[in-house]
Amino acid sequence: MLFCQQHGNPQGQPLVLLHGWGMHSGIWRALLPELEADYQITVIDLPGLGYSNGCSPSSYHLDTVTELLAGVAPVSAYWLGWSLGGVIAMAFAQRYPERVNGLITLGSCPCFVARDDWPFGMDEATYRQFEQDLAANPVKTLQRFNMLQVQGSNTARSDLKTLKQVISEVQPAAPALIDSLALLRHDYRDLFRNTRLPLLHLLCQLDTLAPASMSDALSALQPEARVEVLSGYSHVGFLSAPGLLAEKIRTLLV
């Protein structure tokens, strides 16, 4: 069973938080105090990552991941997914629409690897090199990935310190890192097109992994969804601005 914890007000609106690749639910530590008075919060570690390191499926696909999430998630809740967690939350909402009241993605991209008709992701050669580096030296490659996440931010130093601290609490296993990274290769535009529920996509102006330049393309995929760009923040901007993210969450959970 996946690791999950409940925080906050037992009488509040249920809210699920999903972390991104290479991390675990400790990444939300600064955000929780901003929400605990009003929301019943469930944080979940994705399969094979964080404290779910003993629960990694033999076949790491969206279907198996969402099935495992269904075993621990609330019967009905709002969801927020960061980066890879946003894609997984979208997949959960499509498979279990009755269990998702609304959804926020943060720094998520329908295609993290660029296509001819989607220029907003990492180029294929860079992604392949990243895969190879990860297989050869997981620790060093994860450190390099953390540098990409904070790149350009005025709070890069403190954000990087937080990322290192979170990872140090429970070191991710190399097989799970490799298997979960493979999810980022795929094209999820159909998933985004076909998910129907209240949606808010938050992009960060300085994000190099889910660039804000895709905002118009994302709006074209889901005209009914709200798309907002947070000015001045990197891929992990919520680490230094948890109050701002909490404010955005409340705009959907009214």
Side-chain angles (χ1 to χ4, degrees):
M1 183 175 291
L2 297 180
F3 171 85
C4 71
Q5 278 187 333
Q6 276 73 45
H7 300 267
N9 182 354
Q11 308 305 318
Q13 288 195 74
L15 171 64
V16 174
L17 303 179
L18 282 188
H19 62 85
W21 180 79
M23 294 292 139
H24 61 80
S25 54
I27 200 70
W28 303 116
R29 196 163 290 127
L31 178 64
L32 293 176
E34 302 284 344
L35 298 170
E36 286 178 324
D38 300 315
Y39 302 105
Q40 180 182 349
I41 305 163
T42 300
V43 297
I44 304 173
D45 284 1
L46 293 172
L49 301 176
Y51 293 96
S52 293
N53 53 13
C55 184
S56 189
S58 56
S59 177
Y60 211 112
H61 296 296
L62 281 184
D63 284 346
T64 54
V65 172
T66 54
E67 186 175 346
L68 286 168
L69 286 171
V72 297
V75 173
S76 178
Y78 287 88
W79 287 60
L80 183 147
W82 165 55
S83 197
L84 172 61
V87 171
I88 293 172
M90 293 284 289
F92 187 92
Q94 188 177 80
R95 185 171 181 180
Y96 303 100
E98 73 285 355
R99 298 182 63 174
V100 181
N101 301 325
L103 196 157
I104 300 172
T105 72
L106 172 63
S108 289
C109 186
C111 300
F112 281 95
V113 179
R115 268 72 176 172
D116 289 341
D117 60 345
W118 186 270
F120 309 106
M122 182 184 298
D123 68 82
E124 176 67 27
T126 301
Y127 178 84
R128 284 200 307 269
Q129 186 62 54
F130 191 83
E131 281 186 317
Q132 294 169 13
D133 293 346
L134 182 64
N137 193 329
V139 173
K140 186 176 180 179
T141 305
L142 190 55
Q143 290 172 348
R144 185 161 60 89
F145 181 71
N146 287 342
M147 293 295 292
L148 288 175
Q149 295 192 84
V150 305
Q151 187 172 313
S153 171
N154 291 330
T155 58
R157 181 174 296 181
S158 62
D159 292 345
L160 185 60
K161 181 179 179 180
T162 299
L163 291 175
K164 289 178 178 179
Q165 179 181 343
V166 170
I167 291 173
S168 71
E169 292 169 6
V170 51
Q171 289 288 336
L177 284 174
I178 293 169
D179 290 346
S180 55
L181 179 68
L183 291 181
L184 294 175
R185 173 180 284 280
H186 301 293
D187 184 341
Y188 297 110
R189 280 177 286 182
D190 282 345
L191 174 63
F192 275 62
R193 286 189 190 100
N194 296 322
T195 302
R196 296 286 182 268
L197 73 166
L199 278 163
L200 171 60
H201 297 300
L202 295 175
L203 304 174
C204 296
Q205 180 192 17
L206 305 177
D207 196 337
T208 59
L209 298 169
S213 56
M214 70 173 172
S215 58
D216 289 344
L218 195 55
S219 293
L221 279 180
Q222 289 183 310
E224 72 284 359
R226 288 165 49 201
V227 179
E228 296 185 23
V229 176
L230 305 181
S231 178
Y233 294 104
S234 70
H235 193 63
V236 291
F238 61 93
L239 294 178
S240 54
L244 175 62
L245 179 54
E247 177 186 324
K248 296 299 181 182
I249 290 170
R250 288 188 175 92
T251 66
L252 188 72
L253 279 65
V254 293

